[in-house]
Amino acid sequence: MRLSELLEYDSIVVQCHDNPDADAIASGYGVYTYLKSHGKDARFIYGGRFRIQKSNLVLMVTELEIPIEHVETLEVPELLVTVDCQYGEGNVTKYDAGAVAVIDHHQVSGTLPALSEVRSNLGACSTVVRELLRLEGMDINGDKGLATALYYGLLTDTNNFTEISHPLDKDLRDDAVFDRSLIVRLRNANLSLRELEIAGAALMNYHYHEDYHFAVAMAEPCDPNILGMISDLMLEVDTVDTCLVYSVLPFGVKISVRSCVKEVKASELAEFITEGIGSGGGHLEKAGGFIQMELLEKQFIGMGETRGEASGNAGGNAQTDGSERIRRFLLERMENYYDGIQIIYAKDYSIDISGMTMYHKKKIPLGYVEAQQVFPTGTRVCIRTLEGDLDVRISEDLYIMIGIRGEVYPNDRAKFERSYDRLDVPYSFSGEYAPVVKDVMEGKNVSLIPYAKTCISSGEVHIYAMELDHSVKVFTAWDEEKYMLGKTGDYLAVRMDDLHDIYIIEKSIFHKTYEKTCVGETQ
């Protein structure tokens, strides 16, 4: 997408995510500045329950005179541009608009509009916006305030530049002509004295689970970004692998979740904690969410507690009791998450097939792609599947299979030749999700459909499978860093000819694609 494409509209609103951080404010300000420079009637907004309170962000907005507005309602604009987030995500208030554009640097979470520029290989959305401005001939150094904002956005989103790897991020870091004195002030204004007290009290009163290596702490009501800072600091403790920091508000509970181990995705943990009582999500290492007090009260009432006891609105003792009940509830959810999950490292796992049933694939036309026809050999790519993302390196023998619902899984040439017959008919995709492969270094998304050919099971592929009665995470032999999650009702499967080729098959797909093998059929 080019920023110049936005100029076709007159009434334009630039929106960053709720509880905006420095990168969201900076990148939104960059897009707003471009639009205003072309005479557009533009506004820069954010929604949500919380106004900007964090000291460094208040200083940033004030000193750079960034015209960001907090809104609760919005008159429908011709164009809404979401920046540092994606329209419809849980962390951004959804407003109606004539058309939508997306500018972001996070992983794609759903269907993007035609007007979109998502560069998930970059460290900050500030870098994405800097590149979009550069393509339009706009030098950020012509506006020292804008250069300072984008520089600070990158600095904060890459942990003081320690997480930079892409050359474009390095270019912004090295090329920006920024206000050095203001950056020094911003870097030293992350906490007010009151927020320091809140953070200190939370860190002094934590609960640590020795078996599962997680910590839980409650903070007094504060800016959600402070919860994130507390959880970031807590995660630096050598024995803490995951943590939950929360704050009890009159209308609900705000949570911040962190993980530093591959066995737990922070986003998945946040979704588990808030399931049925709110919403949660985020990314692999950082996530957050919100629990609605009304739904939480129903949970407590279901356990025989009164509404006053549950919410803590019946006086001083009830307030204390209510907070304690919330603490116990969150601890229980954390424990339930760990109690109910088995982890399998397929490469080294000795699977017991005695309790499993043999199946073979039905003769249903499937798609396949010879990976080296899409990317050069050696390219590191992310294959986006319905069950999760897989990171693989392109090789001459790598085939990518496309299932009936768009599920994608890797295969090698030898297994493909044993398992499938090629069909001389065009491939027709009928699934809900058109699969893509991302070049990790270039950040380029490529649809697999144009490269797909048709094949059908030869009937020679047999697997052992069993329906799951608990959750299982499988680190496949293909990808030892990211897991496939199987929930109750899904199937754990392993190829008969390779007992380390273990994977998950989603329950709605399994019986459409597999059937039991009759006795003697494999002879």
Side-chain angles (χ1 to χ4, degrees), residues 137-150:
M138 185 172 175
D139 184 359
I140 62 169
N141 290 329
D143 181 340
K144 196 170 187 177
L146 176 58
T148 301
L150 294 175

Side-chain angles (χ1 to χ4, degrees), residues 33 54 78 113 140 153 156 167 170 184 195 202 260 279-280 342 373 412 451 453 472 497 501:
T33 300
K54 198 162 176 286
E78 292 182 30
I140 62 169
T156 56
K170 295 176 182 178
V184 171
E195 289 167 342
C260 65
S279 61
Q342 175 189 3
Q373 294 184 0
D412 64 44
Y451 298 91
K453 301 174 184 178
V472 175
D497 59 354
D501 192 352

Side-chain angles (χ1 to χ4, degrees), residues 62-102:
T62 302
E63 291 296 314
L64 296 177
E65 299 181 348
I66 298 175
I68 188 170
E69 311 170 50
H70 178 264
V71 301
E72 295 181 355
T73 61
L74 182 68
E75 185 176 341
V76 178
E78 292 182 30
L79 176 67
L80 179 69
V81 187
T82 64
V83 179
D84 198 35
C85 57
Q86 294 166 38
Y87 188 74
E89 277 194 327
N91 67 338
V92 55
T93 300
K94 188 174 183 179
Y95 295 114
D96 292 331
V100 173
V102 169

